[in-house]
Amino acid sequence: MERLEALQAFKETFGFDAEDLFTAAGRINVIGEHVDYCGGKVFPAALNLRCNVYGKKTGGNVVRMAFRGIDGIVEIETDKLDSYRGLKIGNYQAGVAYFLREKGVDIVGCDLYYDCTVPFGSGLSSSAAIEVATAVTFCEYAGVAYDKVQLALLSQKAENQYAGVNCGIMDQFASAMGKKDHAVLLDCSTLEYEYVPLKLGDYCLVVANCNKPHNLVESKYNVRRQEVETALKTIQTALPVTCLAEVSPKQFNEVKYLLSGVVAKRAEHVVMECDRVHKAVEALKAGDLVELGRLLNESHYSLRDLYEVTGKELDTLSALARKETGCLGSRMIGAGFGGCTISIVKKTSVDNFIRHVGKAYQDAIGYKASFYETSIEDGVTVEKL
Ligand code: GLA
């Protein structure tokens, strides 16, 4: 939605003009999937698809929220923040407010209009973008200084403990800390990070949504977390490690006889994916995009065969992408079970790529995929209007 339309909608809803715009980003992840909660390194980047929060501080103890495309206003009272866990819309915001207040931040009444351009349920982290943008809004209106890494951690806590999704730190970190034209190499066990230029020369990343209807992603995600925790406990009987990401592929080969069934497969994915992240960052730095593409494909196969989080739609979409001339590699991103793929595609082939893959996907699956025009942008932004 253009800014003017959002400003108009704000005025129509609340009766006066918005004064501020706070934004946080949706994200892609180049590689390092389902390893953040195992202490691994991830390689996400912040997108131009964002949660935009238009706001005006009103004082008092009521936060009023309106949302693009949804009728009505959701109100949360700042002295009842524990009571909004069941809200379908507004629970992320209430969760963020709840944990900020626990930290001593005074949540000041305000009117907010949410224009979220990150498609919901797409694996591009609309929830993280909402949480982080909301956290910045409340801190700004409380007049407190904040550190963006701390806000990412607090947002993750809200998602874990308020919304009930046991996610890692990758999405909120990328949403807050992303940098234009860079991916963030983030060590999820120490939160040390490095910005690496996402220079793809004649190539670009194409983001495609398989549009599989969203269901039970959260509960399936939580099951994967339990499986890798089981694997870690068993491996710890043989190796002095604190997380699965510390296990090298060689060590894994020596201890894998201790594991069986799905637990063994899940752990193997984590160990090998961590190894691929290192190789992928080296390949990118060396400008070896063919190798980067190969690693993206391997990541997808591992998420399909070992972690089992892809499904027919994502497998079809990425397989069709790989067949296209000018495509160096393709994989699902995010939690999986639906959502998006990224593909490295030659810039001059993008139009054909979208046409061919789009048609073949619809023929195979029966409904359309969506392709997004994306660019890599900064994480949080704050603007006086
Ligand atoms: C979701 C979670 C992240 C991460 C990815 C998988 O996006 O929110 O923390 O675990 O899945 O890599």
Side-chain angles (χ1 to χ4, degrees), residues 27 29 32-37 42 123 125 127 156 159 165-172 221 332-336:
R27 61 103 192 88
N29 182 24
E33 215 64 83
H34 282 283
V35 299
D36 61 345
Y37 49 82
V42 293
S125 289
S127 60
Q156 181 202 13
E159 179 130 0
V165 183
N166 213 1
C167 67
I169 186 60
M170 170 169 78
D171 304 347
Q172 290 80 7
Y221 182 92
M332 61 144 272
I333 58 168

Side-chain angles (χ1 to χ4, degrees), residues 364-380:
I365 300 293
Y367 51 81
K368 285 189 170 146
S370 310
F371 295 85
Y372 303 120
E373 265 189 42
T374 58
S375 58
I376 305 303
E377 302 294 335
D378 287 336
V380 158

